Amino acid sequence: MISLAAVVQQWPALDSRRCTACGLCVTICPTRCLSATPWGPWLARPLDCLACAACISICPQQALYWRSIPPESPEDESSGRTE
Amino acid sequence: MRLPQVIVWEADGWMARQLRELAAEHRWLLRPVRSAQRIHQLLSPPDVCAVCLIQFEPWADRREPLELIAQLHRSQPDVAVVAVSDVKLSEAERSAWTAALFDLGARYVLFPPLTRPVLEDLVSGLMLAVIRRTVGVDPALTSAASQPAGGLGHSSAAASDHKDDHEPIDLVDEDEP
């Protein structure tokens, strides 16, 4: 399965101050990449995330949001190391 | 949100290639990076859950990997840092470098021969320990419960499939290629 989240470099992030650990996001996730803990969800299987935004849409507390990670730029290669 | 990441900073991409299957099997993110700044960027949120492999070159005039290990130990103590060298050294030199890197904050120090089983066992063991510590859940039960296909809930059969994940890492018994 292709991880669309990895392709677009976007992952659901959690505002733990808002989260009530209701578990709706874990239930709604179509790939079950989220897992529940007593303090809220965590992205246990990030490669399965489809970036479908179901978890973000269903959260009654708006505790979930997108977090983007910009791609590594050539300027970052200060050390001369390559992939 | 916490998500398991394996971050690899190396010169040639060899370690990332060895760990690709392991990361895919566990559905972890494998992130080969090219700079210390990128590692700081990936580990910037407070809720990080990562194992970081950093290649260093003993006796080379490059302090950046060593400084990064020390910085990560101070700023992200939950991140398991593994220092890896592909330079063959004498036993005395290996001991000295291992002690120095432990002092800086490395969780493990690896020298040649570097083999895929060693890397896989080490990274999987460290990652499961990091997940237990930072997330507070048993990774075996979590992965069993969150399989995309199959039944809901905690299957004892599925959980027993991950029994090996709890086995202690014994690098001495690894076969050399």
Side-chain angles (χ1 to χ4, degrees):
Chain A
M1 184 186 299
I2 297 173
S3 168
L4 294 182
V7 172
V8 299
Q9 291 287 300
Q10 278 194 330
W11 312 96
L14 178 71
D15 184 344
S16 55
R17 294 166 300 181
R18 292 186 172 196
C19 180
T20 59
C22 67
L24 277 176
C25 51
V26 177
T27 307
I28 198 74
C29 178
T31 61
R32 297 187 197 160
C33 61
L34 293 173
S35 289
T37 70
W39 49 262
W42 75 292
L43 191 53
R45 301 161 64 88
L47 281 188
D48 285 340
C49 181
L50 297 174
C52 67
C55 53
I56 293 175
S57 304
I58 202 164
C59 180
Q61 302 294 324
Q62 288 93 45
L64 290 168
Y65 58 95
W66 284 122
R67 177 172 181 266
S68 299
I69 300 174
E72 192 168 18
S73 63
E75 291 77 29
D76 289 338
E77 205 172 333
S78 59
S79 64
R81 288 170 178 265
T82 56
E83 287 184 79
Chain B
M1 188 181 298
R2 288 179 174 88
L3 70 163
Q5 308 179 65
V6 180
I7 300 172
V8 184
W9 185 26
E10 60 180 330
D12 54 6
W14 183 85
M15 283 192 289
R17 284 195 298 275
Q18 304 308 308
L19 294 170
R20 194 170 293 152
E21 274 187 26
L22 176 77
E25 178 188 339
H26 289 273
R27 314 307 290 160
W28 297 333
L29 276 184
L30 176 65
R31 294 186 184 275
V33 298
R34 293 175 292 194
S35 68
Q37 291 94 325
R38 180 64 171 176
I39 293 179
H40 287 302
Q41 187 182 26
L42 295 175
L43 298 178
S44 58
D47 47 358
V48 291
C49 174
V51 174
C52 192
L53 290 94
I54 299 173
Q55 187 179 29
F56 73 101
E57 297 160 33
W59 312 123
D61 191 19
R62 283 192 69 245
R63 292 169 44 188
E64 204 175 4
L66 307 181
E67 289 173 348
L68 178 63
I69 291 169
Q71 286 168 7
L72 287 179
H73 183 57
R74 281 197 309 269
S75 61
Q76 306 282 357
D78 283 334
V79 173
V81 177
V82 181
V84 185
S85 169
D86 57 4
V87 178
K88 289 185 178 176
L89 300 174
S90 69
E91 192 170 338
E93 287 177 315
R94 280 204 309 267
S95 300
W97 273 101
T98 301
L101 287 158
F102 279 170
D103 284 347
L104 288 176
R107 201 73 56 88
Y108 264 88
V109 183
L110 290 180
F111 289 100
L114 302 172
T115 64
R116 181 174 176 158
V118 168
L119 281 174
E120 287 186 340
D121 283 353
L122 181 60
V123 170
S124 61
L126 286 174
M127 180 61 86
L128 297 180
V130 166
I131 290 173
R132 278 194 209 101
R133 188 169 55 251
T134 60
V135 183
V137 298
D138 189 327
L141 295 177
T142 300
S143 61
S146 59
Q147 290 290 335
L152 278 169
H154 294 213
S155 155
S156 59
S160 65
D161 290 343
H162 294 77
K163 195 176 67 176
D164 289 345
D165 293 345
H166 300 282
E167 295 292 329
I169 302 169
D170 189 354
L171 301 181
V172 176
D173 292 334
E174 296 295 344
D175 294 327
E176 293 184 14

